[in-house]
Amino acid sequence: MKIPHLKKKSEIKTCHNISWEDDYSWIHQDDILEVLKDSKKLNPEVRKYLEEENSYTDFHLSDTKTIQKKLFDEIKGRIKLDDESLPFKDFDYEYWSKTTTKGNYSIKLRKKIGTNNIEEIWNGDEEKEKLKVEYFGVGDLEVSFNDKYLGYSLDTKGSEYYTIYIRDINTKKLVTEKIEETSGSITFSLDDQYVFYSKLDENHRPRKIYRHKLGTKVSEDQLIFEEKSEAFTVGIGLSADDKYFFINSSDHNTSEQYYFDVNEKDPKPKLIKKRQRGILYSVNSWDGKFYNHTNENAEDFKIDISNSLEKPDWKTFIAAKDEVLIGGLTFLKNWIIRSETSDALDKLFVKNITTGIEEELIFSDETVYVPGASLMQRDKNTDEIYISYSSPKTQSRVYSYNLSTKEKKLVKEQEIPSGHNPDDYIVERVDCKSHDGRLVPLTITRHKNTKMDGSAQLLLYGYGSYGSSMSPSFSTTRLSLINRDIIWVTAHIRGGMERGMKWWKEGKLLNKKNTFEDYIASAKYLIENKYTSKNQIIGMGGSAGGLLMGAVVNQAPELFLGIIMAVPFVDSLTTNLDHSLPLTVGEFDEFGNAKDKKDHFDYIYSYAPYNNIKKMDYPHMLITTSLSDNRVLFDEPAKFTAKLREYKTDNNLLLLKTEMNAGHGGKSGRDGAIEEIALDYAFALKISKKI
């Protein structure tokens, strides 16, 4: 089949007295945010190219249709389709959700406490059918405090412009005007007369908080708070003791918080502490005291306590620890639950408020696992909570746990209908030395029968941005590769917070290349230690993890058999220079500001995947994107693919797949998500010659 070619229209770009040529910049439309809302506004020539690439991908993966179907059935066969969540007990009702064999979306249910009368208050599949849309994204689903109203927000394009609806649960009729172009979050007032929401500006940034009175016109909504900085975005939430609303304004690196009493008739948010560059803080209130989770004078966070916000006198409640990330607090009447993260592993601690004694909750004798804790009910006067754990080889198990007696009872175990034996798998945690001597944790999961002589293929997953830590949790999908002797390795590289804030700082801004070096060092370690061999590794990452893939494949293509990148941030220099795009300004403290700072420009230019494509051999590559993605515009992977076709000197596969009705998270619905995974895995098996 003929290889697609995107027309070249040379443009000379200039910044900081440096010029470079961009042959494909023309595909970016000035009205791109309008295209995200209405794909009919897409340049017809660009649409034609994307459709040609889709046809080309379908042609070259036509021999994988059988394995795609098999993988789909395998993955779906590991899911208990007709499942129910554990109930959460509100004051008058118990609420929970369920999925069905046929449905793609969840159903929300409730039962009045003391009765057996179950009500269905939300059915995602029915709502989608009513709207006659292909994409159906649910942003928020909230019930009012009087249990009378259901608030929900929907994105029907994939572009994350959410419309809020409030309806009467009993009549299912809307009780107020729909609220459009919001971030999606819904917060009811305690008297259920109002909802608070954040409105998106012309650049798709939530910088205003409004209060809407139910039954009134949206045009009459009251502006409660406005953030003036284009780099900051805002959100609103309720305190743990239901006494205050907190408004949080932040970028990735700095935060500022305001509060007002839940009973204020005309809310006037009051500043807690003025923003200070590089300082993150988050205040909550409980039992007449205020708790501040902050990194001020505590790189890896601490928690301070004060009796007042008007005249604060902050004292240490949980002290900072070096390279141990201190998490937030969950409150009960007699207990405080908190988390810590170190060496890419989480721990949970419980403190008895009366005695002051704190103990770690031990869940399992496995070395690598993910613990969890959640509340069973809204009434905080209880000793009962849910605790859970999973590991890369062990499915999730949830227990009811009495904090006082320490008795636990298994209440839900993730069911794998097609069967699963954790003893068939081996999980290892190793550290590999990076280029500068820093030790990078690797979580390795393999089948016990996979040979350890270097002959196995290996999938190396990485992300490494925004301080987002990769959790070593259980995944039913990965088993489809692991069972076929492909070892799965998660590299906990810098840019995340697996080793605290320092781990993040060492992988961003002018340290960003450490993220790429860590990943390459991980690949080399796995080769040297006979987990796999050169040219047998499949790299995988999405979004900022796609930036990682693009950078490392330009730097060390010889290590890889293939690369799978989803919605990849590969034209990072162009995006960073465009301050009108939704995420750019808010990410100056993550990636830098190339437009205004020459050292940032030079650094980003030196690694940006699109700008650093070379004339050389590249491994097999599958690149997926979505037309309505507002976080990483589809034109980034489209440009990257077109330029790569021009430069690469090999005959390996280069495939671009664009979902024409999806967003940053891909297709909506359970089956849609499984189809995308099956496509990725089929590509991996094809290049591994396992089909």
Side-chain angles (χ1 to χ4, degrees):
M1 185 178 183
K2 186 180 177 183
I3 298 174
H5 284 286
L6 185 61
K7 185 189 293 182
K8 294 170 70 171
K9 299 179 185 179
S10 180
E11 179 186 354
I12 303 300
K13 296 183 174 180
T14 304
C15 190
H16 301 294
N17 296 318
I18 294 172
S19 298
W20 68 100
E21 188 175 23
D22 189 340
D23 290 327
Y24 304 108
S25 60
W26 66 271
I27 73 168
H28 178 77
Q29 296 178 216
D30 291 336
D31 63 345
I32 189 63
L33 294 184
E34 292 304 311
V35 175
L36 298 182
K37 295 179 191 176
D38 182 2
S39 65
K40 295 187 186 71
K41 295 181 179 180
L42 178 64
N43 181 330
E45 192 174 353
V46 176
R47 180 182 292 277
K48 182 172 180 290
Y49 169 70
L50 296 178
E51 289 171 346
E52 286 174 355
E53 287 283 5
N54 281 350
S55 297
Y56 185 76
T57 296
D58 289 344
F59 175 80
H60 281 282
L61 294 181
S62 60
D63 60 343
T64 70
K65 294 299 182 186
T66 300
I67 191 65
Q68 282 186 54
K69 177 66 168 60
K70 187 173 183 180
L71 288 165
F72 180 92
D73 292 341
E74 267 182 27
I75 294 167
K76 197 167 182 177
R78 297 191 194 104
I79 300 171
K80 188 176 189 297
L81 301 176
D82 53 340
D83 201 8
E84 294 194 4
S85 69
L86 290 167
F88 178 81
K89 188 181 290 186
D90 211 326
F91 291 120
D92 295 319
Y93 287 86
E94 284 185 316
Y95 288 89
W96 70 101
S97 62
K98 77 171 183 178
T99 54
T100 63
T101 304
K102 293 182 179 178
N104 267 294
Y105 300 90
S106 67
I107 297 169
K108 193 172 181 71
L109 303 166
R110 74 176 182 181
K111 177 170 71 78
K112 195 150 193 175
I113 294 170
T115 73
N116 292 314
N117 183 28
I118 297 173
E119 296 177 72
E120 181 180 295
I121 64 172
W122 165 265
N123 186 311
D125 289 284
E126 288 181 4
E127 299 295 331
K128 180 176 184 290
E129 180 59 30
K130 273 190 226 169
L131 295 172
K132 305 294 183 188
V133 292
E134 184 168 341
Y135 184 90
F136 184 75
V138 182
D140 203 355
L141 204 60
E142 299 290 338
V143 176
S144 60
F145 290 90
N146 63 6
D147 300 294
K148 186 176 179 181
Y149 305 119
L150 176 70
Y152 56 98
S153 60
L154 300 177
D155 166 21
T156 57
K157 303 286 186 185
S159 53
E160 297 180 62
Y161 287 92
Y162 287 94
T163 299
I164 292 173
Y165 305 83
I166 311 293
R167 74 182 180 205
D168 185 291
I169 290 176
N170 290 326
T171 67
K172 294 197 173 182
K173 291 182 178 178
L174 295 181
V175 297
T176 197
E177 283 189 346
K178 63 183 180 181
I179 309 170
E180 297 181 309
E181 298 196 353
T182 78
S183 67
S185 62
I186 303 166
T187 303
F188 279 97
S189 62
L190 267 66
D191 62 9
D192 302 302
Q193 292 186 42
Y194 302 92
V195 291
F196 297 93
Y197 65 92
S198 52
K199 185 83 171 173
L200 298 174
D201 65 13
E202 65 275 10
N203 295 319
H204 200 282
R205 298 169 189 151
R207 294 196 292 125
K208 292 180 179 180
I209 299 289
Y210 284 92
R211 183 175 74 162
H212 171 78
K213 186 169 185 178
L214 299 186
T216 66
K217 294 180 178 179
V218 173
S219 60
E220 299 172 356
D221 287 358
Q222 181 183 359
L223 178 64
I224 299 295
F225 180 84
E226 181 175 5
E227 172 54 59
K228 301 298 184 183
S229 169
E230 290 188 346
F232 278 53
T233 57
V234 299
I236 187 169
L238 195 59
S239 64
D241 55 11
D242 293 346
K243 291 183 179 179
Y244 301 94
F245 285 106
F246 286 109
I247 294 174
N248 189 61
S249 185
S250 66
D251 62 6
H252 292 287
N253 194 55
T254 304
S255 64
E256 187 172 76
Q257 202 170 6
Y258 297 77
Y259 73 103
F260 59 92
D261 192 282
V262 295
N263 297 316
E264 286 185 40
K265 288 187 169 56
D266 185 21
K268 301 290 186 205
K270 295 176 281 292
L271 177 65
I272 295 176
K273 186 169 184 173
K274 191 175 180 181
R275 69 188 62 174
Q276 184 180 340
R277 186 175 170 81
I279 300 301
L280 294 163
Y281 75 89
S282 177
V283 173
N284 206 340
S285 69
W286 179 253
D287 196 25
K289 296 181 175 62
F290 298 91
Y291 296 83
N292 184 17
H293 181 236
T294 181
N295 68 340
E296 185 173 13
N297 300 318
E299 186 171 48
D300 294 318
F301 287 86
K302 63 178 178 177
I303 296 171
D304 289 341
I305 188 170
S306 173
N307 290 321
S308 169
L309 284 184
E310 293 177 352
K311 295 181 179 179
D313 180 25
W314 295 109
K315 292 182 172 60
T316 300
F317 182 70
I318 302 292
K321 300 179 185 179
D322 188 42
E323 295 199 10
V324 176
L325 192 66
I326 303 295
L329 305 178
T330 299
F331 300 96
L332 291 173
K333 184 175 186 295
N334 299 311
W335 309 91
I336 295 177
I337 304 160
R338 68 177 185 89
S339 64
E340 287 183 2
T341 303
S342 60
D343 295 327
L345 295 171
D346 296 335
K347 294 179 180 179
L348 285 182
F349 296 86
V350 175
K351 187 166 192 168
N352 185 313
I353 295 175
T354 305
T355 65
I357 295 172
E358 184 176 78
E359 294 180 304
E360 182 183 354
L361 282 174
I362 305 296
F363 291 77
S364 168
D365 57 3
E366 292 187 56
T367 306
V368 179
Y369 68 88
V370 180
S374 60
L375 301 182
M376 298 173 69
Q377 59 186 57
R378 184 177 290 277
D379 183 359
K380 305 290 181 68
N381 186 14
T382 179
D383 295 330
E384 296 278 340
I385 61 169
Y386 291 129
I387 62 171
S388 63
Y389 90 93
S390 73
S391 80
K393 70 174 187 175
T394 306
Q395 62 266 50
S396 170
R397 290 168 182 163
V398 184
Y399 301 84
S400 62
Y401 183 74
N402 188 297
L403 294 163
S404 182
T405 65
K406 299 183 181 180
E407 292 178 16
K408 71 176 183 179
K409 178 185 176 184
L410 182 66
V411 291
K412 186 175 177 62
E413 179 171 344
Q414 183 180 358
E415 189 176 323
I416 314 295
S418 59
H420 175 68
N421 181 6
D423 293 336
D424 287 341
Y425 304 91
I426 295 170
V427 178
E428 295 177 75
R429 167 58 62 79
V430 300
D431 288 330
C432 86
K433 191 175 286 188
S434 193
H435 67 110
D436 57 357
R438 288 288 258 158
L439 296 177
V440 180
L442 304 178
T443 301
I444 303 169
T445 309
R446 57 186 171 90
H447 196 279
K448 65 181 182 182
N449 295 331
T450 299
K451 292 179 181 177
M452 295 298 294
D453 56 4
S455 64
Q457 276 109 5
L458 180 148
L459 190 143
L460 182 58
Y461 182 84
Y463 186 74
S465 286
Y466 305 111
S468 181
S469 299
M470 297 296 99
S471 176
S473 56
F474 182 71
S475 166
T476 58
T477 61
R478 295 173 189 169
L479 299 176
S480 287
L481 294 184
I482 295 169
N483 289 345
R484 290 175 170 86
D485 290 327
I486 295 178
I487 299 169
W488 187 290
V489 179
T490 299
H492 304 280
I493 51 184
R494 277 176 282 187
M497 282 206 284
E498 287 93 337
R499 291 192 188 275
M501 280 287 283
K502 201 174 289 175
W503 204 243
W504 182 14
K505 290 177 181 177
E506 290 180 14
K508 67 174 182 171
L509 291 172
L510 299 180
N511 294 318
K512 187 64 204 166
K513 289 181 184 177
N514 283 332
T515 304
F516 316 141
E517 294 289 354
D518 286 357
Y519 186 88
I520 290 170
S522 300
K524 289 179 177 177
Y525 173 92
L526 293 162
I527 292 166
E528 289 164 5
N529 288 273
K530 300 292 185 185
Y531 288 94
T532 187
S533 56
K534 200 171 181 180
N535 198 36
Q536 291 295 295
I537 295 174
I538 300 165
M540 189 177 194
S543 194
L547 166 65
L548 168 70
M549 293 299 109
V552 301
V553 80
N554 281 334
Q555 191 173 334
E558 72 283 353
L559 297 176
F560 301 96
L561 170 65
I563 296 286
I564 300 171
M565 52 172 85
V567 290
F569 183 37
V570 281
D571 192 12
S572 51
L573 179 66
T574 302
T575 294
N576 191 271
L577 290 169
D578 188 348
H579 295 186
S580 71
L581 294 176
L583 299 186
T584 297
V585 176
E587 296 187 344
F588 285 163
D589 280 326
E590 179 70 26
F591 296 109
N593 181 353
K595 190 174 184 178
D596 298 330
K597 297 182 179 181
K598 186 178 185 304
D599 57 338
H600 288 190
F601 172 87
D602 291 341
Y603 193 76
I604 295 172
Y605 188 93
S606 72
Y607 72 74
Y610 179 69
N611 298 89
N612 287 277
I613 292 171
K614 305 177 184 73
K615 285 197 177 294
M616 62 180 182
D617 286 358
Y618 281 84
H620 300 287
M621 297 177 73
L622 172 64
I623 304 169
T624 57
T625 187
S626 298
L627 186 59
S628 298
D629 186 353
N630 82 80
R631 301 192 187 202
V632 180
L633 301 179
F634 72 88
D635 51 39
E636 291 201 34
K639 288 173 64 180
F640 183 76
T641 303
K643 186 175 179 180
L644 202 53
R645 289 205 188 285
E646 180 188 352
Y647 276 72
K648 74 190 198 83
T649 54
D650 58 85
N651 293 315
N652 290 329
L653 291 173
L654 172 58
L655 306 177
L656 173 66
K657 170 81 169 173
T658 303
E659 293 297 342
M660 307 305 276
N661 292 284
H664 193 65
K667 295 180 183 178
S668 64
R670 180 172 61 197
D671 284 0
I674 297 172
E675 285 168 4
E676 291 186 325
I677 295 167
L679 179 77
D680 289 344
Y681 287 7
F683 175 80
L685 294 174
K686 176 183 173 74
I687 62 176
S688 300
K689 295 183 168 51
K690 290 184 179 289
I691 58 171

